[in-house]
Amino acid sequence: QVFVCGDDVEAKQMVMNIVRALGLTPLDKGSLLAAQEIENYPLQLFPMWKFPIFLSLGLTAFFFFYCLALDVIYTYIYEKNNFSFFIAITIPNRVCPVMALILLALVYLPGIFAAIIQLYRGTKYRRFPDWLDKWMLCRKQLGLIALAFASLHAVFTLVTPMRAFVSWRTSKGIISQALNNKTEPLNNTNAWISDCYLALGILGFFLFVLLGITSLPSVSNNVNWREFRFVQVR
């Protein structure tokens, strides 16, 4: 996008036509009063990402310390088990999916509020409240951060079988069966539930990635409204 401002309508339209001829997208920012704002854009550092990042960091810290107190501190005090190594993989792998779902919900929640406000007012031509307007403008950033948390969850899940704790727990179960001279039969119901859970997780992550890709400006500009709506509905 190329930001354009000016008090002369004809001159501004001429510049915008030149911008289009160069294959770029002009964006009319109004009168010359917006010139200082446009000139300060290169000095800004991710202006649309501040609220999503601070919100994500706050929620991440809350759920991290909650899981830390529940899985590490509580078990150490009352059960005398030292599970402090859960901080590296187990706790982040619990926090990431929760954060991905919460942030994904926050992407679509403002649209519901906007629809309710429009129905209450009986018109769609009035400006939304400032808090809702800012919330709707950062939905793309919230969605991309949610995709990052979902990707981290997928990576943490893939490395889980390589953990020493998992190997120890598996070997302990094998030794316990050998000492008791008893082999646990395969539970087909649990096997189906486990496989379906993993399959749905893979499918959900694939759709999440597809949604994130189509949200990128370079991709969304090349799809029509019907194609974009199809991906959003899925």
Side-chain angles (χ1 to χ4, degrees), residues 25 29 33 50 76 90 110 138-139 146 153 187 194 203 228:
T25 303
K29 299 295 287 187
L33 295 175
K50 290 183 179 179
Y76 180 77
T90 300
C138 68
R139 287 182 299 173
H153 174 54
N187 190 323
S194 176
L203 178 61
F228 182 76

Side-chain angles (χ1 to χ4, degrees), residues 83-194:
F83 290 150
S84 57
F85 56 88
F86 278 8
I87 297 175
I89 293 181
T90 300
I91 293 179
N93 200 27
R94 291 183 180 179
V95 174
C96 285
V98 173
M99 287 298 304
L101 293 175
I102 290 177
L103 293 177
L104 184 62
L106 292 177
V107 172
Y108 293 99
L109 190 58
I112 298 175
F113 289 154
I116 293 174
I117 292 175
Q118 288 178 343
L119 290 174
Y120 175 77
R121 292 175 174 176
T123 178
K124 64 178 181 179
Y125 297 106
R126 289 180 59 184
R127 187 177 179 87
F128 292 124
D130 288 340
W131 63 270
L132 183 58
D133 188 47
K134 293 179 181 179
W135 189 357
M136 295 185 69
L137 288 174
C138 68
R139 287 182 299 173
K140 185 177 296 184
Q141 288 78 9
L142 289 172
L144 292 176
I145 296 176
L147 177 59
F149 276 107
S151 302
L152 285 175
H153 174 54
V155 173
F156 278 126
T157 303
L158 288 175
V159 302
T160 295
M162 296 184 292
R163 299 175 60 200
F165 175 71
V166 175
S167 300
W168 171 81
R169 189 170 57 183
T170 302
S171 60
K172 181 181 178 182
I174 295 173
I175 294 173
S176 176
Q177 293 185 38
L179 293 177
N180 295 328
N181 195 22
K182 180 181 179 181
T183 302
E184 294 291 338
L186 176 63
N187 190 323
N188 288 327
T189 302
N190 290 337
W192 266 105
I193 293 175
S194 176

